[in-house]
Structure formats: structure tokens, C-alpha cells
Amino acid sequence: MSVLGPLLGFLLLFLHEYVCVSLSVCPSHFQRLLFSVFFRCQSFPALHFGFLGLALAPAPRGPPPALCPQASVAPLRRAPPRPALPGSVSERPAPAGARPPLIADPAVGAMAGSVLRVARRQLSQHGGSGAPILLRQMFEPVSCTYTYLLGDRESREAVLIDPVLETAPRDAQLIKELGLRLLYAVNTHCHADHITGSGLLRSLLPGCQSVISRLSGAQADLHIEDGDSIRFGRFALETRASPGHTPGCVTFVLNDHSMAFTGDALLIRGCGRTDFQQGCAKTLYHSVHEKIFTLPGDCLIYPAHDYHGFTVSTVEEERTLNPRLTRSCEEFVKIMDNLNLPKPQQIDFAVPANMRCGVQTLTPA
């Protein structure tokens, strides 16, 4: 990746100069096109070096392209002069031939900022000695549950969030293939739609301990409370109590606040129901707004479930786009009280099993 990244950067810069000058294509339009390609290539970290170079690239020299409908007006605006403080450096005469600073199209600038932020996060997660985090998101289709594997690439220590009984052998196999040592099988709450795989994982991977909130009332090797940390290698998951869906719900936040695993408290454009297991809509509303929405806006949101094909969101997206949680507390409570959802199919045996399978060895049906 160290060779491919700079090479891609050079090629993209060359393509940018050639297309915008030789072919008379509007720089803003061409940059928008390439940025849209970037957001579809986030799974390839090597590409990020190329797009980082493009995001920082100056506008091509020469007259504005005639084919750009905006170029005849002002494709780039020169920054207005600002009054200089007495004795400041800006009072000194500019060198001969120096070009005044340019302000790019605001839309392109905003996209460039997004590129830089996403690229920085993707690069930190996919490599480098600064943050060698390993993250795998796995799916169980019957209950639409996400299981998350997080590991430290150096110490090889790992944790697993919200494992499912039927897919526990799959998870154990992946952990062995990646050469990881699973320290904890963690549950965000006592689930009602599936049986947790934490009990089986204790048998499949000796040394693994089951973990759940003390307020859940369920058995486990370790019980956690608000403010506790779950450490693996150089990383840690901060426990944030987020009751409402159930009294024992917690959200796990990575120690650098770059990602949060919200369980059923916050879903992508939704939230967990509050009409069983001592749920409370008002409590859930305050939990999300006080414990999750206070995280940085670009913090990634990884929920325990999704029923529409989404995999990840951000705090800012849910703060502004979640159709339930952008309402007032009173409106939210009214919405939750009138969902009229059917009873979860597995609740009658999943909840009793989950109250004890953190320590009991079970096998898939």
C-alpha cells in the first residue's frame, strides 16, 4: 500500500490537470465526480492516498475552461483582502509574481473536508502503528443481528459484541483464522429476538469470559456498570448506560470516540422498541440524547440490528435525520406508544435462555 498509494496520487493529479486544462472540463465538476468515486471506494485504503492528494491539489493554471457554464462568471473566487495588524507579517510586500490566495468552490471544499475526515479514519483503522484496530462486522439473517469483532493487531487480544448462538461457530472460526485471542464475549443487553452465543463461545474458545450489564439481571462471568472499561490490548471500550429499550442496555464507545456500538438503544434511522422487558420511551429518549448524541458528530454508529440493509451511520446523521429522535421527548413517547409492533417470535425462550446462557454451555439447535 505504501507504493500504490503515492502512485495513485500522482496519476490522479496528472489526470486532474490534463482533464481540466487540455479537455476544458470544469475543475469543480471534475472534482465532484472523483469525490463521488472516493465515497464508493472506502473499502480500499490505498486509494485514500490518491484522493488525499487530489483534495489538496491547487486549481489548474491557465484561463477558465470555456465549456464550464460557471467559468465565465467565476469558477474560483479570490479571497478578499483583510486589514493587517500593525507590524504583522501580512504587511510585508508579496514577492514578485506571487499569486493571490484562492478560495475553491464551497461545495468542492466541503466535499474535500469530508474526504479528508473519512480518509483519516479509514487509514487509522486499516493500518499504521498509531491505531492498528481490527474491526469485522458480521450478520445473522434470522434476527437481523450484527456481531462485531474488535481486535488489537499487535497484542492479538479481541472482544466480540453481541454474538448469536447459531453463528458462534462461525465467529470462533474467524477468530482462530485471524490469530486472535478472544478475551470477552459481550452483550449490549438481554436480547429478546435471539439467544446469545456467549455461553457457547466460552467452550469453543477457552479463556473467553461472558460480559453483560449488572442491571440486566442476567448471569455472566463479569458484570459491568456505567463508566467501566473493557480493555483489549491498547484499546478499551467505555461502557455508557443507555437504558430504555431494557433497563440493562449499554452502549460501548471506543476509547478514541471514533465508533460506538449502540445495541438496540439507537438504530440507523430508528431505535429499539420500548413496549416489553420494562422498557420506557422517555428513558430511552434521554439515554440517546445524553449518552450517544453527545459524542463527536463523525463518531461511527454500529447498531445491533438493521432491517433495511444499512450497516453504519454517524452521530451527526442520527442527530439530524433520525425520524423519531429528532422530535421532542413528548412526540417521541407518543410515537413509541403507537408502534403496535408484533411480539418477537423468539421472546418466550430467548429471554429465559439469555438470563443464564452467559455461563451455561449451549449448542445450536
Side-chain angles (χ1 to χ4, degrees), residues 1-13 46-50 53:
M1 186 175 73
S2 60
V3 176
L4 181 59
L7 178 60
L8 286 171
F10 173 79
L11 292 176
L12 284 171
L13 289 174
L47 292 176
H48 297 164
F49 288 102

Side-chain angles (χ1 to χ4, degrees), residues 175-192:
I175 290 167
K176 291 177 182 178
E177 289 175 351
L178 295 177
L180 300 174
R181 181 166 62 93
L182 186 64
L183 300 183
Y184 307 109
V186 184
N187 287 284
T188 54
H189 63 291
C190 184
H191 298 273

Side-chain angles (χ1 to χ4, degrees), residues 17 28 38 45 121 143 174 182 245 266 268-269 284 303 363:
E17 189 80 11
S28 299
F38 166 82
R121 170 159 303 161
S143 60
L174 177 62
L182 186 64
H245 173 62
L266 176 63
I268 299 174
R269 307 301 190 267
L284 178 59
T363 56

